[in-house]
Amino acid sequence: MLPWKRALRPLAALLLTAAVAVVPAATAHASTNPTSGWNDYSCQPSAAHPRPVVLVHGTLGNSIDNWLSLAPYLEHRGYCVYSLDYGQLPGVPVFYGLGPIDQSAGQLSAFVDKVLAATGAAKADLVGHSQGGMMPRYYLKFLGGAAKVNALVGLAPDNHGATLSGLTNLLPYFPGAADLIKATTPGLADQMPGSDFLTKLNAGGDTVPGVRYTVIATKYDEVATPWRSQYLSGPDVTNVLLQDLCSLDLSEHVAIALFDRIAFHEVANALDPAHATATTCASAFS
């Protein structure tokens, strides 16, 4: 191995370690849901909530650990809730979302088709965290998803890239580092600002007609930075900052999806805007 390649390994490890540090620890992942309730393909959507909700995990997350709180929260409110694993790399268990994002979008497409077939619903709603809030936009824009999706709700989505609080800005100082990351973890490379993937995704506008978009961000985000880059522009877009709803909310990139019930309340509002109620600090106890 050439010396300069050996020198790049610590930087790649640093980037990966930083990413691991901001996702939930995967301690109970299994092929079936351990909590009973969601991913129940016998669930039939109600008149009050006629669309199934598909949860899309973030980078290095998975279909269970990312949603141990939000899935039951929505299920308790009468939704049929489903979650998938995507972006698996060969030989890398549990930590997903590392594969090429366009291919991950294809996996989401197949999963939504499966959910719609099981429930008989015409459309689904999508709720995603981090990459999981951004990746579905590729499905909507390029893979026909707009005809099958009513709403996309993103929790801290890296819609225009993730700088990891500026860490990715160091890459030009290490020649070949970006190529190494792209070769080993293409899902990470795709999320770097200015990547070919993001350039294609955002060309011609952030949104597609017929889908409602909601972005829920926190100013304490340390991954999808700067946090305002999470916002979308276009019709049928609602951009929300948690601290505008509750100034005491200190959630960062992980907490917003893992256990922040203020964020969860805003997700519920986005899924059912006709019955939305004000989100405040008290929503943490609702």
Side-chain angles (χ1 to χ4, degrees):
M1 181 184 295
L2 294 175
W4 66 268
K5 287 189 175 181
R6 285 198 297 268
L8 290 177
R9 287 193 176 275
L11 177 62
L14 177 61
L15 287 167
L16 190 57
T17 300
V20 171
V22 293
V23 297
T27 57
H29 182 69
S31 59
T32 57
N33 192 340
T35 59
S36 81
W38 87 90
N39 281 342
D40 176 5
Y41 286 90
S42 67
C43 185
Q44 293 299 303
S46 65
H49 300 303
R51 292 177 299 275
V53 177
V54 174
L55 304 177
V56 190
H57 65 75
T59 307
L60 294 169
N62 59 62
S63 62
I64 295 176
D65 300 311
N66 223 136
W67 307 119
L68 289 172
S69 295
L70 181 57
Y73 180 96
L74 294 174
E75 182 197 10
H76 179 70
R77 284 155 179 77
Y79 289 93
C80 293
V81 181
Y82 303 86
S83 61
L84 77 156
D85 290 319
Y86 70 85
Q88 300 94 327
L89 290 181
V92 181
V94 180
F95 298 108
Y96 303 139
L98 295 172
I101 297 182
D102 57 350
Q103 295 181 22
S104 294
Q107 292 179 283
L108 173 62
S109 177
F111 188 81
V112 170
D113 286 348
K114 177 181 177 181
V115 168
L116 293 180
T119 60
K123 291 187 175 184
D125 289 326
L126 308 181
V127 179
H129 174 227
S130 192
Q131 180 189 162
M134 172 272 288
M135 174 270 280
R137 293 177 48 228
Y138 190 95
Y139 163 55
L140 299 177
K141 195 170 187 177
F142 299 110
L143 303 181
K148 302 174 184 180
V149 173
N150 169 71
L152 169 62
V153 184
L155 290 160
D158 54 342
N159 282 314
H160 300 95
T163 69
L164 294 173
S165 296
L167 186 60
T168 60
N169 296 333
L170 299 176
L171 288 174
Y173 296 99
F174 295 85
D179 291 337
L180 179 62
I181 294 169
K182 185 175 183 179
T184 55
T185 52
L188 293 181
D190 284 346
Q191 294 176 78
M192 293 181 185
S195 70
D196 290 344
F197 174 82
L198 287 172
T199 298
K200 178 180 178 179
L201 176 64
N202 293 315
D206 292 342
T207 64
V208 295
V211 179
R212 289 189 294 105
Y213 296 81
T214 302
V215 172
I216 303 172
T218 170
K219 68 180 182 181
Y220 300 113
D221 202 305
E222 73 278 45
V223 176
T225 51
W227 64 263
R228 287 182 179 84
S229 68
Q230 300 173 26
Y231 284 176
L232 296 173
S233 298
D236 295 321
V237 169
T238 302
N239 294 311
V240 179
L241 181 64
L242 278 181
Q243 286 71 34
D244 288 341
L245 306 175
C246 174
S247 62
L248 301 178
D249 194 322
L250 301 179
S251 289
E252 42 66 69
H253 189 76
V254 173
I256 194 174
L258 200 60
F259 53 73
D260 188 339
R261 292 177 71 92
I262 297 171
F264 294 178
H265 188 271
E266 198 62 14
V267 168
N269 281 347
L271 294 175
D272 189 7
H275 298 96
T277 58
T279 301
T280 68
C281 294
S283 301
F285 306 101
S286 64

